Amino acid sequence: MKILVIGKDGQLGKAFQKEFLSLFQGRLSEVDIRYIGRQDCDLADLGALEKILEDFQPKVVINAAAYTAVDKAEEEVELSFAINAALPGLLAKYAAVNGAYLLHYSTDYVFDGQGSIFYTEDHPVSPLGIYGKSKAEGERLILEAFSKIKSSQAHYAIFRTSWVYGDGANFIRTILRLAKDRPELKVIADQFGVPTSAQWLAELSSDFMFDLSPDSSIALRNFPSGIYHAVPAGETTWHGLACKAVDIAKVAGANLLLEAINIKPIPATEYPLPAPRPMNSRMSTQKLQKALEGLGVVSQFPQWDLLVRDYVSELTKNQLI
Ligand SMILES: NC(=O)c1ccc[n+]([C@@H]2O[C@H](COP(=O)([O-])OP(=O)(O)OC[C@H]3O[C@@H](n4cnc5c(N)ncnc54)[C@H](OP(=O)(O)O)[C@@H]3O)[C@@H](O)[C@H]2O)c1
């Protein structure tokens, strides 16, 4: 089975590399996995990617690439739409025409974050900034491509996720870096969401996609195509996440000047940024949990703070703070 992973050096891309090492262990002769990073192809050049698709003819395409610089996107509008919209649009056309599977990732930023509801997948999108608008357009183009060509072999899943952390730059690492030599910090406490481990997301995505019954060859699951919200259980604020990360790192032995009690909660209005952010990023995961149950996959979503504990403990142990 040919598998193409795009965006191999991002947080999610690296998580897939790690996940597939263990998932396909002992069955490597059954898969042909190609990982694409910036050095292989500038994704703004769709012609180059088209050639890779034509030559390799993957049965599974995983798009872990994205333009994720939320503030810079306000100025780099064209590039943001090229990577977040045109690229998934092209991948969807390929998958729909060739009877392939597409896994794509989107974001809580497709919503405006009004109120305190848990967004469901069918809630109308209303992005506030360019990043969210470009990701929403990417979703639309995937839906459009699959609505035009109905191949029973082609499937797609768009996983909307939020506050991703993994092997790369992210909020948790920034806080822990600052915590080494700052006695006090101010962190936003009125934006709500769910921190999501890239490793957990890669594992969940793989469970959704691959059926690895021990006595048969690797199969693809007949999952219902659509948009799914994919975040762990619970909710917090950036302030809650910062306090949790500092507490865990200290317990794990990190040498930090900052105590969680000295992280001051502030409203978002006190920390203005170029791009507007949703105040409420809560998303219901019921649809995904039901779909996983329907596929016979056990799906107890872990609490976000348990995953953060594992991540921060690992960073501390490996002296990566
Ligand atoms: N990070 C979050 O907090 C967050 C929240 C919600 C949803 N998401 C979604 O989750 C998915 C994974 O995010 P992530 O955190 O893993 O993102 P990430 O770490 O920023 O990785 C994105 C990857 O895409 C690559 N890329 C971007 N433009 C490229 C280009 N023109 N040519 C080649 N490669 C290019 C980047 O390469 P370079 O490193 O070389 O630029 C990077 O390796 C994305 O769909 C994102 O929208 C993320």
Side-chain angles (χ1 to χ4, degrees), residues 12 19 24 51 53-54 56 61 90 106 112 117-118 140 148-149 166 186 191 248 258 277 282 310-311 318:
L12 187 59
E19 167 65 14
F24 298 127
K51 171 113 183 49
L53 290 168
E54 259 169 43
F56 187 50
V61 178
L90 173 81
S106 190
D112 62 16
I117 56 161
F118 278 77
R140 194 191 68 74
K148 278 188 185 151
I149 302 155
K186 290 179 181 171
Q191 283 172 347
I248 296 165
L258 185 69
R277 270 102 168 132
R282 299 172 179 98
D310 293 348
Y311 175 72
N318 295 325

Side-chain angles (χ1 to χ4, degrees), residues 7-13 37-39 41-44 63-68 79 83-84 104-109 131 135 160-165 167-169 198 201:
K8 74 177 173 75
D9 298 316
Q11 298 191 91
L12 187 59
R38 193 179 282 274
Q39 66 279 25
C41 171
D42 176 0
L43 297 172
N63 182 25
Y67 182 104
T68 54
L79 184 58
I83 307 299
N84 292 342
H104 175 74
Y105 295 85
S106 190
T107 168
D108 50 311
Y109 280 47
Y131 170 70
K135 294 293 289 187
R160 285 193 192 130
T161 189
S162 64
W163 301 15
V164 175
Y165 60 89
D167 186 354
L201 186 57

